Amino acid sequence: MSHMSEPQMQAMLNEQLWNRSFLLCLCNNLFLFIYYFAMLTVLPIYIMQDLGGTVKEAGLALTLFLVSSIAIRPFSGLIVERLGKKRSLRGAGLLFVLFAFSYLLIDSLWSLLLVRFLHGFWFSILTTVNVPVVNDFIPEKRKGEGMGYFVMSTNLGVVFGPLIALTVIQFTSFNTLFALLSIVTCIGYVFCLTLNVHENPKTAPAADAPKPKIGWHDIVEVKVLPISLIALLVAFAYSSITSFITAFADSQHLLKEASLFFIVFAVSMIAVRPWVGKWYDRKGPSSVIYPSFVSFAIGLVIVSFMDNQWVLWLSAVFIGMGYGSLFPCMQTLAIQSVSKQRMGHAISTFFALFDVGLAVGSVVMGLLIAYFDYQFTYLSCAVMVIATLFIYKASMRAKKPVQTTIS
């Protein structure tokens, strides 16, 4: 190290992925999604046991959060652009924490529904601004690898959130759990406060320029629409897993074994993460995206024939490697398609369509299962994933491929 020149040392630091700020971003995102998935798991139980609600009302509480999140999502990029990344991150983070504590004051179903609806707004803005913030701390030549690890922190929330929630409510009350989860959001907010957020340079408007009106360009980033629509189709298929894998396992008398599904999913995703990001950066996005589509489809085919826990867990391996690699690659493609000034708009567009895919997919999957059965539904999703692969291939032919980060 002592024999290196100052420019060489600076170049090495610029290529360092695991810097302090990147780690803080990962921790912030992990704690946010631990809270999100923990609440997603226990709220239906809380509504039915403590508030005397029905299954439909429990579903309404979960849906309202998603509805408000999707409603504000197209404007999240504009909010980040107007307020700046630092204000958006800290402001939305503070309001998210305050609403987390408000669950301790809930005394009726209607107050819960109101809190869930309002809470979704801040979640949407927070998840939008987190991406351009972390992107600033990832070296240019390691974007695929860095964003892969960032998305992995989200998927770890899928494992730890429900695990913490279901363990705690076995020994104590829901209010104690809500207090604990509120503390989790506070810790995540501390990570936000310690980040040295970089603002994008703004071009000063001319003195005689009219005040700009909000237009289509302020809400949607057209450049990311192709990959966002592909993400919508992927989310549509993935909704069959998020919404109905537990119910399918229960119908096969495998409910206890289903708790390990997302753990196997996370382990599989983590196992391939080190080389997936590097392949993306060195050989281009398609080198990862094509095999990921195939792996995801294989996992859906396997789960459609589930009749014992080994088949269930084997499907989790392929879905973890497939979907777990697809999502970060698509997100990285989205942010690499635009300038830093437009990154907030790109992410809000990407997530808006992805969220729509999840929401609409959940409804359609429920109808398919009701009219046909689980096997037909999962096989249909597998066919859809392969069809989406060809749509992605056609979209890559229709335009010049996104410039990869390797020189």
Side-chain angles (χ1 to χ4, degrees):
M1 180 74 72
S2 59
H3 298 292
M4 294 176 66
S5 65
E6 188 173 335
Q8 287 175 321
M9 290 181 68
Q10 187 60 44
M12 188 190 74
L13 289 173
N14 289 340
E15 292 303 311
Q16 184 181 354
L17 175 61
W18 296 100
N19 54 73
R20 172 183 173 275
S21 296
F22 180 67
L23 288 170
L24 287 172
C25 288
L26 292 187
C27 292
N28 168 40
N29 199 58
L30 173 61
F31 278 62
L32 172 65
F33 280 96
I34 284 176
Y35 175 86
Y36 173 74
F37 286 110
M39 293 297 286
L40 204 63
T41 302
V42 300
L43 272 180
I45 307 171
Y46 170 66
I47 290 168
M48 290 185 282
Q49 289 186 5
D50 279 29
L51 299 181
T54 64
V55 176
K56 288 183 179 179
E57 288 167 336
L60 179 61
L62 299 180
T63 303
L64 276 175
F65 187 94
L66 195 58
V67 166
S68 59
S69 180
I70 292 174
I72 196 68
R73 184 73 77 183
F75 302 96
S76 297
L78 180 62
I79 292 169
V80 173
E81 182 186 51
R82 297 288 171 88
L83 294 182
K85 288 182 286 189
K86 188 173 184 177
R87 285 183 182 178
S88 301
L89 178 67
R90 294 184 176 180
L94 177 60
L95 288 164
F96 188 85
V97 169
L98 292 176
F99 271 89
F101 277 102
S102 70
Y103 288 83
L104 296 170
L105 306 176
I106 287 170
D107 58 358
S108 69
L109 178 63
W110 293 111
S111 60
L112 174 65
L113 293 177
L114 177 62
V115 167
R116 287 298 288 173
F117 181 73
L118 296 174
H119 209 179
F121 289 123
W122 314 120
F123 177 78
S124 179
I125 297 170
L126 201 52
T127 50
T128 297
V129 72
N130 274 345
V131 176
V133 168
V134 71
N135 183 71
D136 286 339
F137 304 115
I138 301 174
E140 283 301 319
K141 292 186 178 181
R142 301 182 71 177
K143 291 297 185 190
E145 185 181 2
M147 289 309 300
Y149 282 115
F150 181 72
V151 173
M152 187 177 75
S153 68
T154 299
N155 289 325
L156 288 177
V158 177
V159 178
F160 292 119
L163 185 64
I164 291 170
L166 295 174
T167 302
V168 171
I169 60 170
Q170 289 181 37
F171 302 100
T172 186
S173 66
F174 283 102
N175 262 15
T176 304
L177 173 63
F178 293 156
L180 175 64
L181 292 175
S182 299
I183 292 170
V184 167
T185 64
C186 282
I187 297 171
Y189 187 59
V190 170
F191 295 132
C192 288
L193 295 177
T194 54
L195 274 171
N196 183 22
V197 180
H198 305 306
E199 295 293 355
N200 297 325
K202 293 185 178 180
T203 54
D208 57 346
K211 190 175 181 180
K213 295 180 180 180
I214 296 177
W216 178 257
H217 183 71
D218 295 305
I219 299 172
V220 175
E221 177 49 66
V222 178
K223 290 181 181 178
V224 302
L225 282 177
I227 193 63
S228 300
L229 288 169
I230 290 166
L232 183 153
L233 296 174
V234 170
F236 190 89
Y238 184 61
S239 67
S240 65
I241 298 297
T242 57
S243 300
F244 297 105
I245 191 65
T246 304
F248 186 23
D250 187 34
S251 72
Q252 299 294 95
H253 310 291
L254 296 169
L255 187 58
K256 290 181 180 178
E257 291 79 1
S259 61
L260 282 174
F261 177 89
F262 286 105
I263 295 177
V264 176
F265 173 99
V267 170
S268 303
M269 178 187 60
I270 293 168
V272 300
R273 177 56 48 215
W275 57 264
V276 163
K278 291 177 181 177
W279 272 24
Y280 181 103
D281 290 328
R282 293 173 184 173
K283 300 184 179 181
S286 294
S287 67
V288 176
I289 290 178
Y290 287 139
S292 297
F293 268 120
V294 173
S295 179
F296 187 20
I298 290 172
L300 290 168
V301 171
I302 292 173
V303 81
S304 72
F305 292 100
M306 174 174 54
D307 58 0
N308 62 67
Q309 68 267 34
W310 299 109
V311 175
L312 174 64
W313 296 337
L314 180 62
S315 71
V317 172
F318 282 93
I319 294 171
M321 292 190 299
Y323 173 80
S325 299
L326 262 180
F327 184 81
C329 288
M330 292 186 297
Q331 183 173 289
T332 306
L333 267 174
I335 65 175
Q336 287 182 322
S337 301
V338 297
S339 65
K340 286 190 175 183
Q341 286 79 8
R342 295 290 298 173
M343 199 172 293
H345 297 81
I347 290 303
S348 64
T349 302
F350 178 84
F351 276 138
L353 291 176
F354 182 83
D355 290 345
V356 167
L358 281 179
V360 175
S362 296
V363 175
V364 174
M365 296 305 157
L367 292 173
L368 285 175
I369 291 167
Y371 282 101
F372 299 98
D373 58 16
Y374 286 104
Q375 186 177 58
F376 176 86
T377 301
Y378 282 107
L379 286 174
S380 299
C381 288
V383 172
M384 181 179 177
V385 167
I386 295 299
T388 306
L389 183 157
F390 287 104
I391 294 172
Y392 167 78
K393 187 175 182 179
S395 72
M396 289 296 101
R397 284 179 178 174
K399 65 169 186 172
K400 184 180 178 181
V402 175
Q403 181 65 40
T404 59
T405 53
I406 195 73
S407 57

